[in-house]
Each structure stands twice: as structure tokens, then as C-alpha cells.
Amino acid sequence: MHSIAPYSIRCFNPYSAARNIDERYSILDKVGQFDAYKIFQDFLVAQDDKFKIVEDTKQVYRFYGMKFYEDKREIAGWFEAGYYGVKNDIIDIETGNVDYEKTQKNAEIIKHYVRFYMPVGFDEGIALLQSYKGNGIKTLLYDLLRVNFNEVTKKTLQMNPLAYKKAFKVWEEALAKEIKLTKFVGMPDITDQLKRLGHKEQQLIIKPPSRGSLGKLKDYFDTNSEQYQVVEFLSPMCSDVKAVAELNGKKRTFTIGRPAEEQVCEILIDEDEVDMVAGNPEPVSLHKWCSTVLQDYVNSLYPGLKVEI
């Protein structure tokens, strides 16, 4: 339900004369006379706590509780956003009664955790953005940061999804502990039994037999493996397929079902490690958990350099 999506942070110089495309990317702390971390910091400090309106997309947003860790070159906080322009009824799911009539001028606001990491001496940083039920804030957030970044540096800020292979190569060797099939409708007798339990969202969980194994996470992205073929067969029967993998005592949940080169990494927030309050991740435990996630990315993107979060 709640997940974290990783993105790369890069600065591209479209006016560079360098023939090699990689040479057109600036070191993040040397974007001409500027430092990308300081540009982000100055922009966010200048924001007040009032909601702002984006009329073109009928969105409202604000930055809230942003903290700056200059020694680590990290920024973390909340980006609150929502849509307006559509009239809806808000009902009580237990009674079915309308509790509130949402007008075209009302917006449902959802808090999204955001975190930026821009190490010294590298041309690539990392952004972690929280999404809820697949709905994120990357487009709106990126547009705000991109426009300001270009105004200051005259260069182009890039925030692209980190693909599975690049972001989490270390997790390829992790053992798959569970396969979760959400809204599974492949076997009527099973789904009928699930409905009797009163679940709002049906989910079938596959676990390995005693002393058995579901294989390694990388097997689920190998088109020649038995695991991939099974997932390919099951995918049309449910809304999504997720694998719970374990490595060195840590667990991560990944969306699977596509080849690794096409897979955008999205990690479900582990409710066994992150406290939930009224359906939302508790800020302190979420920040702590995201630190371990960020360290995994750092180990993959800057191998052998012993960069510590």
C-alpha cells in the first residue's frame, strides 16, 4: 500500500561541447559555481507552510517538516499534495452513510515522505519518494525542483527512475520467502473462501514447502527460469505479483513480473519494521527504515567506495 520509489539525481549540461555524453554530467557539488545540495536547500528553505495551487493540473501542495543534514548532504521531510476540482461523497465504510460532501474546492491531502542524498565528488545522487497505492508525487515535485534548478544554473536537473538491476544488484542473491498475489482470481474455489473472511483486498500468499525454497530474487527476472515462467502464468490472474526477499536478516518486498531491465524498483514499506499510525507510516520509524534502504542503494551505486549513510 505504502511504498518507496528510488530515483537518480543528475545535472546535465545541454550546452557542453563534450562528445562523450557522460562528460556532460556535472559533479553534484560542482555545478559550475554552484552546489546542487545548496540549490535544493535554498529552494526548500524559501518555501512557507502554506498550500500552493497549480491551476493547470488542479493540484495543491506544500513542503512540511523539511530537515537538512549538511554533514551527510541529505534532506528529508514531507511533501503534502492533493487534487481538487471534482465533487465526491466521503462515506463511512461501516455504515455506508455519507459523512462529508467533498466539493470542487476541496482537496484530499496525502503526506509523502521525500529524501534526497547528494554526496560530494559524484555526478549522481539518490532521491527516495513515497507513494500510496501506486500514486506518487514525482511529476509535481520534479517540475518544481527542475524549474528552480534551471533558473539558478541554466543546466538541466534530471530525476529518472532507478531500474531494478542498477539499484538493487546486491538483492539479486536474496532468497524469496513469499510470493504475494493481490486480488487473485485464478481459482474460484480459493477466492470464494477468501471472500468469506471479509478481506477488503484478496491476497494469496505462496510460501516454500518445509525445507524447500522459492529460489533467489534474480530467478524471477530471468526469462529462462521456472520461477519467471510461473509468475508469467499467474500475472494475468491478479492485479500484481510481489516477492518478499530476505538477505542477511533484512527483508524487502519487490514488485515482480517483468524482466529486470524493464523493472522499476519499488519497495513496499515493511510494516514489521515501520510503525503505522492511522494507516500512515510513523515519521521516526519510517526515516530510520529508509536509512537502511538508502544504504543499500549507496552500496550498489558507489561499490567499493565505502560511502556510509
Side-chain angles (χ1 to χ4, degrees), residues 63-236:
F63 293 95
Y64 178 77
M66 302 303 298
K67 295 183 179 180
F68 305 94
Y69 306 88
E70 297 192 20
D71 55 331
K72 297 182 178 181
R73 293 177 61 83
E74 288 185 49
I75 300 171
W78 302 92
F79 185 68
E80 300 181 335
Y83 287 90
Y84 67 92
V86 177
K87 180 180 178 181
N88 288 314
D89 290 336
I90 308 299
I91 68 166
D92 185 322
I93 62 171
E94 294 182 352
T95 66
N97 297 328
V98 175
D99 269 3
Y100 179 74
E101 293 183 357
K102 177 179 172 292
T103 73
Q104 289 178 279
K105 293 183 179 181
N106 296 136
E108 179 186 6
I109 301 300
I110 297 178
K111 294 176 61 175
H112 298 266
Y113 176 83
V114 298
R115 188 161 175 173
F116 307 104
Y117 174 60
M118 288 171 276
V120 169
F122 294 92
D123 64 2
E124 184 173 20
I126 301 169
L128 301 181
L129 308 182
Q130 180 191 354
S131 61
Y132 175 67
K133 290 187 176 180
N135 297 315
I137 37 78
K138 188 264 180 175
T139 299
L140 174 58
L141 176 64
Y142 170 62
D143 284 345
L144 296 171
L145 296 172
R146 174 183 56 80
V147 170
N148 176 73
F149 197 89
N150 181 257
E151 290 176 350
V152 175
T153 68
K154 309 305 178 186
K155 295 180 174 62
T156 302
L157 176 69
Q158 294 182 349
M159 283 181 61
N160 296 317
L162 282 173
Y164 169 83
K165 266 195 168 181
K166 184 175 183 181
F168 260 86
K169 189 171 181 61
V170 65
W171 278 88
E172 289 185 337
E173 299 298 324
L175 294 176
K177 293 296 184 179
E178 293 180 358
I179 301 299
K180 296 182 177 181
L181 309 173
T182 303
K183 294 183 180 178
F184 184 71
V185 294
M187 300 177 184
D189 56 333
I190 294 178
T191 54
D192 286 343
Q193 294 298 320
L194 288 173
K195 288 178 181 178
R196 292 181 183 179
L197 296 178
H199 288 180
K200 297 173 187 175
E201 186 173 80
Q202 296 166 197
Q203 187 175 77
L204 179 65
I205 299 178
I206 301 173
K207 295 185 178 182
S210 178
R211 298 182 181 179
S213 171
L214 293 175
K216 295 182 178 180
L217 187 61
K218 67 180 181 182
D219 297 331
Y220 291 87
F221 300 101
D222 180 357
T223 55
N224 297 316
S225 72
E226 179 182 358
Q227 287 86 350
Y228 182 89
Q229 293 168 16
V230 171
V231 170
E232 189 175 39
F233 172 75
L234 292 173
S235 293

